[in-house]
Amino acid sequence: MSDAGGVPSPVQEMLDELHTRVRGVDAGEVATYIPALGKADPALFGLALATQDGHVYTAGDADTGFTIQSVSKPFVYALALHDRGLNAVLRRVGVEPTGEGFDALRLEAGTGRPLNPMVNAGAIVTASLVDGDDHGQRFQRIIDGLSAFAGRELRLDHEVLASEERTGDHNRALGYLLRNAGALRGDVNEAVGVYFRQCSIVVTARDLAVMAVTLAAGGVNPVTGRRVVGADTCEHVLAVMATSGTYDFAGEWLLRTGLPAKSGVSGGLVAALPSQLGIGVYSPPLDRRGTSVRAIAACQELSARFGLHLMRPAQRTTPVLHRLLRGDTVSSHRTRRHLEREALRRDGRAILACELQGDLGFTGADTAIRAITDELDGVRWLVLDLHRVNRMEPVAVNLLDGFAARLRGRGVATVVAVDAGSGPLAAAEASFASLDEALEHCEDALVAAGRSARLDPDAAVPAEEQDILRDLPAEMLDALTPLLEERRLARGQVLFDPGAVPDEGATSDETLYFVVSGGLVAQVMAGDPPEPVRIASMGPGTAVTKLVLGDDRIAYRVVADEPTVARVLTAAAVKRLEDTHPQVVEALHWAMARHLAARLRQADARNQAMIGPDARRGD
């Protein structure tokens, strides 16, 4: 069996490749107006993407700590909304874009409110609105809240805090302006001090991705499972981020990326796609507006490549993963000889079938890939059934195709089941019009991989190894075998067709056909005009009979799928055998009954696998 457990995610590889290219961007300058920030290494570049089910992809310096600065603003705003309610906060802080930089002095005419909580003036008032009897308790509420968003305990950078306090006269001036306008209440230095401390909390790009996806997930941290704030609060925060998170760059940012975001002068940036993912970036060099140059480049490309724009139409009504099934619990409708069935029972877990459904975009494809990856131990054949997929966006095709290519490099063949048998994945080994045919292909490959002289599908299966006859004593076989007539069928030749005129060479009394080599398929006629649709197949070592119940004429037929040799036991031969060896006929009837019972048990097991606990479902 192949060891496919280490298959890299195509999302991870795309993130790594993007990081490698974007880190070569050398534009921008490190912020120096807070002296401690000027010490940052401009070469640092961390990139992280967190999904709504709590998986985090990282590239580069994603675990390097830095102070959160203005990226703290949407999360503190969320805490204030949670603690006070929207209307109470709106009375003190507006939500209109300023069209100006982060340190704008402008307040709303008539009310004295800062225009929004993303500029410094609004952030100072917002920090004063979180719960707490004094500034110490309010900051503790903030650092505890941000830690809950990040899913781990965060700490304070005292060196950066001291630098903030030494150079913070502009923010103090804003504080006095706000108090004079009535928007800020209480001691100005204490209020501004809480704001300085919130900006000096240390985070990583990984933390920011988790914090962002917590907003995107409606306030529940998907890593810890803990609810931090309510879903309504997250809606309000993301709306303000979309309009004001990057200050006077917010309009172009939203146009190009379509992601609510917040930037900070230390080089951090968060972006969130509601109900899907969060992005965290750290790279100190900033553009003239105070936003990380590499963060802008990375997010714009991520949005374009993964189809993340908020305004892109999306429909997700069902889980993407319908079922995951192993080949030892579900099988094709091919009737196989005993030795092949034993091989499939023994090694069938090497086949994994994944049925996908709904609309496949970035998130759906990523979810499916990770679910499959978790089940890859011992797998050599993967079947992707796309019949329930309504639409596949190009990003989903690219991700799944890349995944199939990586699996192929590790000895795992991908087979696609899709309408018309025309698969969208170039890296797939084959495509089939039905899941049954795809499973049969993989089963044939599994049997061939363990081929021995007794299992060689190209070798003729003698009478004594035919499934129905293999348990008969030798003396009974000696009586039966001379009565079997050989018949050779060309590809496409009809063996029998109830209600139709028999082919030339067939006789009306033929009753039981033992497949010696080649193979047969059972078909039903469907559509208008009627066309044959394959429903099952039979391989060497198996038997088929023409069965009509009462006067009904079932609209199925059996056709040679390839040049086939069969041995035929006719009704006339059975009559002669009854006269000479009645015990052989009785034994033959019991063998046929046992064979039919085994087929029914196999069908029942297949149905149970489709609906039972062995089928891992997405819903």
Side-chain angles (χ1 to χ4, degrees), residues 276-293:
Q276 294 203 51
L277 54 82
I279 298 169
V281 190
Y282 171 55
S283 178
L286 312 177
D287 67 5
R288 61 181 181 82
R289 298 183 177 96
T291 302
S292 169
V293 174

Side-chain angles (χ1 to χ4, degrees), residues 96-158:
E96 300 303 325
T98 65
E100 300 176 2
F102 63 91
D103 56 355
L105 292 172
R106 185 158 60 100
L107 302 179
E108 186 178 73
T111 67
R113 295 185 307 174
L115 270 71
N116 66 67
M118 302 296 121
V119 293
N120 287 10
I124 291 170
V125 176
T126 299
S128 73
L129 294 176
V130 300
D131 277 350
D133 294 334
D134 55 36
H135 66 283
Q137 290 184 8
R138 283 195 294 276
F139 175 69
Q140 190 62 49
R141 163 68 173 141
I142 288 171
I143 196 169
D144 288 345
L146 268 60
S147 296
F149 271 108
R152 71 180 185 95
E153 186 175 348
L154 303 178
R155 63 176 180 85
L156 197 63
D157 186 322
H158 291 280

Side-chain angles (χ1 to χ4, degrees), residues 258-538:
L259 297 170
K262 184 70 197 79
S263 59
V265 294
S266 60
L269 183 141
V270 293
L273 182 59
S275 300
Q276 294 203 51
L277 54 82
I279 298 169
V281 190
Y282 171 55
S283 178
L286 312 177
D287 67 5
R288 61 181 181 82
R289 298 183 177 96
T291 302
S292 169
V293 174
R294 294 189 187 112
I296 293 172
C299 288
Q300 286 184 358
E301 184 158 348
L302 278 172
S303 178
R305 292 184 68 175
F306 290 161
L308 305 182
H309 203 290
L310 183 64
M311 306 307 173
R312 176 186 290 268
Q315 295 178 354
R316 282 294 304 278
T317 58
T318 57
V320 66
L321 185 63
H322 180 62
R323 262 190 309 241
L324 276 174
L325 299 163
R326 288 280 193 159
D328 58 345
T329 60
V330 68
S331 62
S332 71
H333 289 85
R334 183 172 180 80
T335 303
R336 297 181 180 276
R337 58 191 292 204
H338 173 74
L339 292 175
E340 292 185 8
R341 296 200 304 272
E342 288 299 309
L344 292 174
R345 270 196 291 268
R346 183 180 64 249
D347 300 325
R349 289 187 65 78
I351 300 171
L352 176 65
C354 177
E355 296 176 287
L356 303 179
Q357 64 185 1
D359 296 323
L360 280 186
F362 165 77
T363 298
D366 174 61
T367 299
I369 287 168
R370 284 190 281 112
I372 294 168
T373 300
D374 289 343
E375 299 290 330
L376 279 178
D377 184 33
V379 170
R380 294 179 61 187
W381 294 273
L382 169 66
V383 178
L384 289 178
D385 185 2
L386 305 180
H387 284 96
R388 292 179 175 83
V389 173
N390 301 323
R391 181 183 65 179
M392 286 185 70
E393 294 184 8
V395 63
V397 175
N398 292 338
L399 290 176
L400 290 172
D401 198 38
F403 184 57
R406 291 167 184 84
L407 289 179
R408 183 177 58 195
R410 287 162 172 78
V412 179
T414 300
V415 176
V416 177
V418 65
D419 288 335
S422 177
L425 306 186
E429 177 183 89
S431 296
F432 296 93
S434 69
L435 174 61
D436 188 70
E437 290 175 87
L439 284 171
E440 181 179 321
H441 170 85
C442 296
E443 291 168 355
D444 288 344
L446 187 153
V447 170
R451 179 181 298 180
S452 65
R454 299 183 70 198
L455 272 179
D456 188 344
D458 298 323
V461 178
E464 63 270 16
E465 292 185 16
Q466 293 283 332
D467 259 17
I468 289 180
L469 305 179
R470 64 187 178 86
D471 291 331
L472 267 60
E475 62 273 14
M476 290 188 178
L477 283 173
D478 290 341
L480 176 64
T481 301
L483 301 177
L484 299 177
E485 301 174 6
E486 183 176 289
R487 181 161 179 208
R488 294 181 177 272
L489 304 169
R491 178 184 175 88
Q493 186 172 348
V494 177
L495 186 64
F496 57 78
D497 187 350
V501 177
D503 281 355
E504 183 179 353
T507 61
S508 60
D509 63 348
E510 291 174 335
T511 58
L512 188 59
Y513 300 81
F514 297 97
V515 182
V516 175
S517 63
L520 307 173
V521 293
Q523 302 171 335
V524 295
M525 305 303 292
D528 186 17
E531 294 287 342
V533 176
R534 170 190 173 120
I535 58 171
S537 64
M538 291 72 74

Side-chain angles (χ1 to χ4, degrees), residues 4-40:
V7 178
S9 161
V11 176
Q12 182 63 59
E13 292 200 343
M14 290 174 73
L15 208 65
D16 289 338
E17 184 268 334
L18 174 62
H19 180 273
T20 299
R21 284 190 297 101
V22 174
R23 74 180 176 191
V25 175
D26 58 2
E29 300 291 337
V30 176
T32 57
Y33 77 94
I34 299 174
L37 299 183
K39 299 178 182 180

